[in-house]
Amino acid sequence: MDSVNKNSRLLKTGILSISVLLTAASAVSGTVPMMAKEFSDKSSAQVQALITIPSIAMMIFILLSSIFIRIFGKRKTVLLGLALGLIGGVTPLFTSNFLIIQISRFILGAGNGLYSTSTASLIGDIWSGDEQRNLLGIQSAVQTLGQSIATFMAGILLGISWHAAYLVYLLFIPVIIIFAIGYNKSTEKAIYDAQKEVKEESVVQKQTKLPVLALVAILMSFIYFNAIMPEFTASGLAIQQMQLQNQSFLSTALAIAGIAGALVTSLYGKIYKIFKHYTPVFIMLLGVIGYFGIIHAANMVMLTISMIILSSTSLIFPYIYGAVMEDVPAASKDFALSVAKVFNNFGAFLSPYAMAATAGIFGLTGAIATLKIAMCYLIFIGIVFLILAILKTNKVKKVDSQSMTKEQ
């Protein structure tokens, strides 16, 4: 690893660049009404499914990515994923064949799934400690900003035609070039050689070490996605229920909140230095405050501020991925990150059903009730992380006291 220049801006830029379009499959959601008119022989559900097909493919290929990495290595797997993303992304620009468009959307999701895990694991391969946390925070921020920029650009291109909106996926081209140059073959070889002994040793550890914190963190990420999706799915109905004025500002409020959340997430390394193992507790507290503010907002300004606070909970991603990389043996790291990513997507998919089921248990109805349930989910996550933080802090203190006793 000594031969790898960890301070290289080109290396960092190359690795961070692959997050730009990772979650941009929904950037073209604005095309749905126009496509529904053109494909009038298709049901509205079939047309809307064009936006969700990539998510299904992504979940499948996130799990398969570890196999591709074992066969081809991370560099080739990432480049393959980016190339598939480009092909699947721009294909609807050239065709009006509905089946081909469906297949292309699946290819886009498959490509994103292949390199999804590497957005975090490549950082863990090279950096550790504070530098790793800083870069994980920036990675999450780049992902969110990339989605916002792609959505904005697709909206402008939509003014030409729905076909033109898919031009946004040409952004894959500079990403491929930047990554290929920044993370070159010699860098990959140096990292592989340095990790070879560590991975061989970790095969033995894999049988005996139970990464409790990592497993709990992954489970909490699943619950978190159940809890955070109502910000997007229920807030529109909630402001109608609250009869706020200027309700059309909601989409702008969500965009502002997303960008602000990305900027806050980029500061994750500094925030972790302050709160240490209590960082996720602080994050969930922000989420509770955000939901409380939304529920009691008197106007759209208060709602926007509350959404900004709620969006700051995206800080949880670098914490969870960091916990996974710290606690899981090197040989299992890629697979563990894949599982975490799948749980994230599955949690988002199940969110409406989980909220409805919980509401049914307690006999609650309405969008505001959904937001209250989501807030309770965040409280639960915060309590779990609080218990883990106390246990981990006490364990560290015990180890330190034992070390001092031995020295004396």
Side-chain angles (χ1 to χ4, degrees):
M1 195 74 77
D2 293 336
S3 58
V4 177
N5 183 5
K6 297 182 180 181
N7 295 318
S8 169
R9 290 186 179 180
L10 187 60
L11 175 61
K12 291 179 180 178
T13 302
I15 291 174
L16 291 171
S17 69
I18 64 176
S19 297
V20 171
L21 293 173
L22 182 61
T23 55
S26 61
V28 293
S29 57
T31 63
V32 170
M34 296 174 71
M35 293 180 76
K37 289 182 180 179
E38 179 158 341
F39 300 106
S40 57
D41 58 323
K42 306 297 180 183
S43 68
S44 60
Q46 285 178 296
V47 177
Q48 290 173 20
L50 292 174
I51 306 302
T52 58
I53 285 174
S55 298
I56 299 169
M58 191 172 177
M59 281 194 284
I60 296 170
F61 279 83
I62 282 174
L63 290 175
L64 293 177
S65 64
S66 58
I67 299 174
F68 279 80
I69 289 171
R70 276 201 302 271
I71 297 172
F72 302 109
K74 286 189 180 179
R75 186 173 185 273
K76 288 182 179 179
T77 299
V78 171
L79 289 173
L80 174 61
L82 292 171
L84 289 175
L86 173 62
I87 295 168
V90 302
T91 295
L93 174 66
F94 307 104
T95 181
S96 293
N97 184 298
F98 194 78
L99 177 59
I100 293 176
I101 294 173
Q102 286 179 312
I103 295 172
S104 72
R105 295 295 287 172
F106 186 89
I107 292 172
L108 169 64
N112 285 350
L114 282 179
Y115 71 86
S116 176
T117 302
S118 296
T119 57
S121 68
L122 284 173
I123 294 173
D125 288 344
I126 303 171
W127 296 279
S128 60
D130 291 340
E131 186 70 5
Q132 182 189 96
R133 296 187 191 98
N134 286 333
L135 289 171
L136 283 173
I138 295 172
Q139 182 271 323
S140 293
V142 168
Q143 182 175 311
T144 304
L145 284 173
Q147 182 181 15
S148 299
I149 292 170
T151 302
F152 176 74
M153 290 178 63
I156 294 175
L157 293 167
L158 193 59
I160 302 173
S161 70
W162 68 261
H163 286 285
Y166 288 88
L167 279 167
V168 72
Y169 294 111
L170 288 176
L171 288 172
F172 272 110
I173 294 176
V175 172
I176 291 171
I177 295 171
I178 293 170
F179 176 76
I181 296 173
Y183 190 79
N184 53 44
K185 292 179 181 179
S186 60
T187 299
E188 182 176 49
K189 186 178 185 305
I191 293 169
Y192 175 80
D193 292 340
Q195 289 183 330
K196 194 172 182 181
E197 289 185 18
V198 177
K199 286 190 175 183
E200 288 173 353
E201 291 175 2
S202 67
V203 171
V204 178
Q205 297 175 0
K206 189 177 180 181
Q207 307 258 336
T208 58
K209 185 178 179 182
L210 180 64
V212 177
L213 179 60
L215 291 173
V216 173
I218 290 171
L219 179 59
M220 290 303 104
S221 73
F222 170 78
I223 299 175
Y224 168 78
F225 267 93
N226 272 271
I228 201 62
M229 291 307 294
E231 178 186 7
F232 307 97
T233 59
S235 56
L237 295 173
I239 61 175
Q240 289 179 8
Q241 195 174 337
M242 293 185 289
Q243 298 181 342
L244 298 185
Q245 294 183 345
N246 303 317
Q247 294 181 12
S248 60
F249 188 74
L250 177 62
S251 58
T252 303
L254 286 168
I256 293 171
I259 294 171
L263 295 175
V264 173
T265 304
S266 68
L267 301 174
Y268 169 74
K270 295 179 180 178
I271 293 172
Y272 183 86
K273 280 185 178 181
I274 298 172
F275 295 100
K276 302 295 184 184
H277 300 305
Y278 292 92
T279 301
V281 181
F282 168 70
I283 295 169
M284 292 306 108
L285 179 60
L286 287 177
V288 172
I289 293 171
Y291 266 134
F292 185 86
I294 292 173
I295 293 167
H296 296 90
N299 50 58
M300 293 302 291
V301 174
M302 287 182 61
L303 184 89
T304 302
I305 294 172
S306 299
M307 283 186 164
I308 289 173
I309 296 172
L310 182 58
S311 293
S312 298
T313 59
S314 57
L315 284 162
I316 197 66
F317 301 135
Y319 179 85
I320 289 172
Y321 299 147
V324 169
M325 288 190 286
E326 286 175 9
D327 277 34
V328 173
S332 307
K333 182 176 64 177
D334 289 332
F335 177 73
L337 285 171
S338 297
V339 172
K341 295 274 187 175
V342 169
F343 267 65
N344 291 351
N345 284 279
F346 199 48
F349 172 74
L350 286 181
S351 177
Y353 306 102
M355 293 296 111
T358 307
I361 292 171
F362 293 98
L364 301 173
T365 58
I368 293 178
T370 299
L371 298 182
K372 289 179 179 178
I373 292 170
M375 183 172 66
C376 291
Y377 273 39
L378 295 184
I379 292 173
F380 171 75
I381 297 171
I383 292 172
V384 171
F385 275 120
L386 177 61
I387 294 170
L388 287 176
I390 293 172
L391 291 174
K392 193 155 189 175
T393 302
N394 289 338
K395 184 179 179 180
V396 171
K397 287 181 179 178
K398 187 176 180 180
V399 171
D400 290 342
S401 63
Q402 288 176 347
S403 299
M404 290 178 64
T405 303
K406 287 181 180 179
E407 289 177 1
Q408 292 175 354

